[in-house]
Amino acid sequence: MNIGVTVAVSITRVRNIGISAHIDAGKTTLTERILFYAKKIHRIGEVDDGSATMDYLPQEQERGITITAAATAFIWNGFEIHLIDTPGHVDFTIEVERCMRVLDGVVAVLCAVGGVEPQTETVWHQADRYKVPRIAFVNKLDRLGADFNRTVSMMRERLGARPVPIQIPVFMGDAFVGVIDLLRMKAIVWDQETQGAEFEYVDIPADYLEEARQARRFMLESAAETDEELLEYYLENDDLDEKQIIKGLRAGALSNKLVPTLCGSALKNQGVQPVIQAVIDFLPSPAEVPPVSGVNPETGETEIRSPKGKDPLCAFAFKVTLDQGRKSTYVRVYSGTLEAESEVLNATRNTKERVARVFLMHANKRERVKSVPAGGIALVVGLKDTITGDTLTAPSAPIILESIDAYTPVISIAIEPRTRGDQEKLLGTLEKMTTEDPTFAFKEDEETGQMLISGMGELHLEVILDRIKREFGVEVVTGRPQVVYKETVQSSARSTIRFDREIHDVRHVGEVTLMVEPAPRGSGVSLEFDPKLEVFPEALRGHLEQGAREAVLAGPLAGNEVADIKVTFLTVGQDWESMSGLGLKVAASQACKEACEKASPILLEPYMAVEVVVPEEFMGDVIADLNSRRGRLDQVTPRGKASIIEAEVPLATMFGYSTALRSASQGRGIFTMQYSHYDAKT
């Protein structure tokens, strides 16, 4: 199927962008209009009625939310734009994380009513981590309570950003009617009879002239500060032309020093085309971002790969997806060319892979292509062993790029197939789904024999269960949701274990003394060797570490993973030559378990960052309810006639909270919740 991108363009005319925001800020609605105005689709679909192009999963269409990142590509004024629409719900934040890893720029969508919301902060900081340049679009200015200036102020205060408006909104009474383009100093009005496809520039209304002049002055100063030549010109002439403004703002955006900010209402078809032009004007091409660097697995040296020149193939697998159980892999090509029917090296796993077919994507539709050049994003079929975070290279030029951090599942439920005959089918299904989703895990509970699946939240597991039934045809029975606890220690303890046993006529000996002590919360598990063991054979150290790592998988209290401890190996017997790898591994494992039992173990439970928006008159009841759930109140911030309550609350007490909040606020309160940290269970 031809999906419309067949024009070969220079790499400088390519943009790889993502649309990201808090849930319900209007990302998918904006994307739908972009595709319509780019003539990629012939009618506008809507999220609420399940007809949006990029929300193609049945679960997305039924719930009216984006669950999985969807990719598309289109041509706009001779530029080839690859766009990924990402989820806004915290349960699916891994989708945003792995897209941020490969994108060159981001359009951050903010709700003009809600402003900077919790997941806005999460995705913003994900972009910070990968140094991705951004532009911002303040959406939903047609809504009651919309406030452009307050949203811009919140970007400064809560995100630490420097937003530079290049537009300001125009209202007629309470009705949003258009925007003022500060570059051209003209107002833009959209024609609703053409669904916003046509628009015209008109004179700025007289009562907006002074506000527009002040906003333009700030924009000019911000643009001039990015370049000495521009600054000198501005100081001499007290003005810049349109090209100079774009040059200055582009330099500021690419260096992440400022964020060009636009506004509109995607649902009302107002303000969309300038966003596409801003992507071209202010966000980088693949040739303008720094070359990627990685480690050569053969030499251990750091090397770089550039999309310019003749560097060998280097591509990064950032997402694995299953279509009716068949595996496909999304890749970003950083250098060289990825060709169909070619052999590549998975440098991360040191295995050869066969690229069977390569596709460009438009949501769930595919266009088969022969190759993808540097800077491109594509779907690859045929990679058997590759998973999220792996690097694909030319066999003669291996390099391993930095992988993607996974997130810790915080909630579990027990499941079992309705029929015994489906047991093996269920196991195969779960294994496939863990390949696709790094935030999903499963294991068998040793005490009960039940199968436990774990994820990022109730909605995440709900979607997983629905997919198990619909896509894989396995009917399951589920138990109640369970919190994923961890364990740690409160004090220090030593243990000495000597292991000496004959296994299959071979004697295995190991003797270890180690110490376990508490580590800072969130630090995980660290392993160290006493300086006296500097001469201990390097080949045997790995067995000690492996034994300790296995020991902390099941703690002494309830078999939960042990976290936030420091394990120090103090001595390793006397006669090292008589010890075997297996003997040392078992001795280290048993010593670590015993030391954890002695060191005053406690349970850790996941705390959630909860934000509740509620009318003032219900604030007392809502705070009292959060206190009863062992919540720790952080702050209460007035917002008009409502209050924003921020608290940290144990996940174990938050099941069913939506019903309790509706009851306490007469249905007028809303809340968002995302994982914060693990802390001692009280």
Side-chain angles (χ1 to χ4, degrees):
M1 175 179 181
N2 189 303
I3 61 172
V5 180
T6 56
V7 180
V9 300
S10 163
I11 192 171
T12 60
R13 299 178 73 84
V14 173
R15 300 290 185 272
N16 292 315
I17 65 162
I19 310 284
S20 67
H22 185 87
I23 189 171
D24 201 34
K27 300 177 305 302
T28 303
T29 302
L30 174 64
T31 303
E32 195 75 9
R33 270 70 181 170
I34 288 174
L35 296 177
F36 179 70
Y37 300 141
K39 295 182 170 56
K40 184 77 175 186
I41 57 177
H42 302 295
R43 71 175 186 87
I44 296 175
E46 301 295 355
V47 174
D48 290 342
D49 62 17
S51 61
T53 304
M54 304 299 275
D55 286 349
Y56 59 86
L57 292 178
Q59 295 85 356
E60 295 176 314
Q61 295 166 353
E62 292 167 2
R63 291 168 174 82
I65 63 171
T66 301
I67 290 171
T68 184
T72 186
F74 60 90
I75 299 296
W76 184 270
N77 291 340
F79 284 78
E80 182 179 308
I81 300 178
H82 297 260
L83 181 152
I84 298 180
D85 179 27
T86 66
H89 196 288
V90 64
D91 283 15
F92 309 106
T93 194
I94 186 64
E95 291 283 317
V96 185
E97 180 81 18
R98 51 191 179 185
C99 291
M100 288 293 182
R101 174 67 174 76
V102 299
L103 292 172
D104 299 327
V106 165
V107 179
V109 182
L110 296 96
C111 173
V113 180
V116 174
E117 299 168 282
Q119 191 65 3
T120 313
E121 295 185 64
T122 299
V123 298
W124 194 271
H125 295 319
Q126 286 172 315
D128 280 340
R129 184 158 58 250
Y130 294 113
K131 298 181 174 61
V132 184
R134 274 144 281 180
I135 62 174
F137 178 65
V138 179
N139 191 26
K140 299 196 175 184
L141 281 163
D142 60 300
R143 294 270 298 275
L144 185 65
D147 191 328
F148 176 73
N149 291 330
R150 179 176 58 80
T151 303
V152 170
S153 295
M154 291 179 74
M155 290 176 66
R156 295 191 189 99
E157 295 163 7
R158 298 184 66 167
L159 301 177
R162 187 182 178 190
V164 179
I166 61 174
Q167 297 174 343
I168 59 173
V170 177
F171 293 89
M172 188 175 293
D174 291 332
F176 172 64
V177 294
V179 305
I180 294 172
D181 181 344
L182 299 175
L183 281 80
R184 301 184 181 184
M185 284 301 279
K186 287 284 187 178
I188 311 176
V189 179
W190 279 266
D191 177 17
Q192 292 306 311
E193 289 188 4
T194 61
Q195 292 184 288
E198 296 181 7
F199 56 91
E200 62 176 333
Y201 287 89
V202 299
D203 290 339
I204 298 172
D207 52 348
Y208 275 90
L209 265 174
E210 183 55 34
E211 182 183 349
R213 288 187 183 121
Q214 291 180 9
R216 178 178 167 85
R217 176 68 57 191
F218 177 72
M219 177 188 69
L220 291 173
E221 292 171 354
S222 301
E225 289 172 1
T226 65
D227 184 279
E228 287 187 13
E229 188 178 313
L230 284 179
L231 182 59
E232 184 177 337
Y233 183 94
Y234 176 66
L235 292 174
E236 290 178 0
N237 299 277
D238 199 35
D239 201 3
L240 298 172
D241 63 29
E242 186 177 337
K243 288 185 178 179
Q244 289 173 315
I245 296 169
I246 291 173
K247 177 184 176 183
L249 295 180
R250 181 180 182 81
L254 297 194
S255 61
N256 278 304
K257 292 179 179 177
L258 54 81
V259 182
T261 301
L262 303 91
C263 59
S265 168
L267 184 64
K268 299 297 184 181
N269 311 314
Q270 296 168 302
V272 176
Q273 294 93 334
V275 174
I276 316 175
Q277 190 57 46
V279 165
I280 293 169
D281 288 341
F282 305 121
L283 296 180
S285 73
E288 294 172 294
V289 298
V292 293
S293 64
V295 176
N296 185 319
E298 296 176 353
T299 66
E301 299 293 321
T302 299
E303 298 181 3
I304 64 170
R305 295 287 186 269
S306 171
K308 298 176 286 187
K310 297 183 178 180
D311 282 5
L313 171 68
C314 175
F316 185 78
F318 67 94
K319 178 178 176 177
V320 173
T321 184
L322 299 174
D323 182 7
Q324 297 179 344
R326 293 189 293 271
K327 179 181 173 183
S328 303
T329 308
Y330 282 91
V331 301
R332 162 70 190 267
V333 182
Y334 284 105
S335 64
T337 302
L338 181 68
E339 297 182 346
E341 300 180 7
S342 66
E343 186 178 72
V344 298
L345 174 70
N346 182 327
T348 308
R349 306 186 181 283
N350 194 29
T351 58
K352 295 285 182 68
E353 289 271 41
R354 181 77 179 171
V355 176
R357 298 184 299 281
V358 180
F359 299 91
L360 293 181
M361 296 301 296
H362 175 51
N364 60 339
K365 298 180 177 65
R366 302 178 174 187
E367 178 187 354
R368 190 168 177 174
V369 293
K370 293 181 179 179
S371 63
V372 179
I377 292 176
L379 184 78
V380 175
V381 174
L383 305 178
K384 295 181 179 180
D385 300 323
T386 300
I387 63 172
T388 299
D390 286 356
T391 306
L392 304 173
T393 70
S396 60
I399 185 176
I400 300 176
L401 305 181
E402 181 184 357
S403 190
I404 297 175
D405 291 336
Y407 286 74
T408 303
V410 295
I411 185 172
S412 297
I413 57 174
I415 66 169
E416 59 183 42
R418 286 192 181 275
T419 63
R420 288 188 176 182
D422 276 344
Q423 183 67 40
E424 285 191 19
K425 189 176 180 181
L426 175 61
L427 283 172
T429 296
L430 296 177
E431 287 174 359
K432 288 179 179 178
M433 298 189 83
T434 56
T435 301
E436 182 183 51
D437 185 351
T439 62
F440 171 68
F442 72 95
K443 68 175 183 178
E444 186 175 333
D445 188 310
E446 293 181 0
E447 293 183 5
T448 65
Q450 290 181 308
M451 183 64 68
L452 296 177
I453 63 171
S454 305
M456 299 300 293
E458 290 181 271
L459 179 60
H460 186 199
L461 293 183
E462 184 183 316
V463 170
I464 290 286
L465 291 169
D466 192 48
R467 292 187 59 201
I468 289 172
K469 178 181 177 180
R470 290 198 201 196
E471 294 180 29
F472 298 95
V474 182
E475 294 275 356
V476 296
V477 180
T478 62
R480 291 175 58 84
Q482 302 172 13
V483 175
V484 177
Y485 291 98
K486 292 186 179 182
E487 299 179 23
T488 191
V489 300
Q490 299 181 89
S491 61
S492 302
R494 294 190 181 205
S495 176
T496 300
I497 293 292
R498 178 175 174 82
F499 178 82
D500 188 343
R501 187 173 302 173
E502 194 172 284
I503 302 174
H504 301 306
D505 299 327
V506 177
R507 188 182 176 206
H508 292 278
V509 178
E511 185 176 342
V512 178
T513 299
L514 57 75
M515 179 172 66
V516 167
E517 55 191 317
R521 197 67 70 233
S523 62
V525 177
S526 64
L527 304 178
E528 295 186 5
F529 287 83
D530 187 277
K532 296 192 296 290
L533 293 177
E534 283 184 0
V535 295
F536 186 69
E538 190 71 33
L540 295 177
R541 287 193 180 207
H543 297 288
L544 294 173
E545 292 176 345
Q546 187 179 359
R549 293 282 183 200
E550 290 181 2
V552 298
L553 294 177
L557 292 178
N560 303 294
E561 179 186 350
V562 179
D564 305 340
I565 65 168
K566 176 183 173 184
V567 180
T568 304
F569 295 99
L570 301 175
T571 63
V572 185
Q574 299 294 324
D575 185 8
W576 295 343
E577 292 184 0
S578 69
M579 296 184 186
S580 67
L582 178 61
L584 288 170
K585 174 184 169 182
V586 175
S589 178
Q590 292 179 355
C592 190
K593 284 180 178 291
E594 184 176 272
C596 286
E597 290 175 7
K598 295 177 180 178
S600 306
I602 58 169
L603 281 179
L604 297 174
E605 64 178 337
Y607 273 75
M608 311 302 286
V610 179
E611 182 178 282
V612 185
V613 182
V614 66
E616 286 180 355
E617 60 264 37
F618 304 112
M619 184 175 67
D621 290 342
V622 171
I623 290 176
D625 181 65
L626 289 173
N627 287 335
S628 72
R629 298 171 185 271
R630 297 189 283 123
R632 304 167 182 168
L633 196 66
D634 287 339
Q635 64 179 3
V636 179
T637 309
R639 182 188 291 174
K641 295 183 179 180
S643 294
I644 304 171
I645 303 166
E646 296 179 46
E648 292 179 344
V649 191
L651 174 61
T653 68
M654 288 299 290
F655 295 119
Y657 181 66
S658 56
T659 302
L661 180 60
R662 281 196 298 270
S663 176
S665 64
Q666 296 181 9
R668 295 169 63 190
I670 58 173
F671 82 102
T672 56
M673 180 174 73
Q674 60 184 356
Y675 167 73
S676 174
H677 64 283
Y678 271 84
D679 210 340
K681 187 176 186 299
T682 56

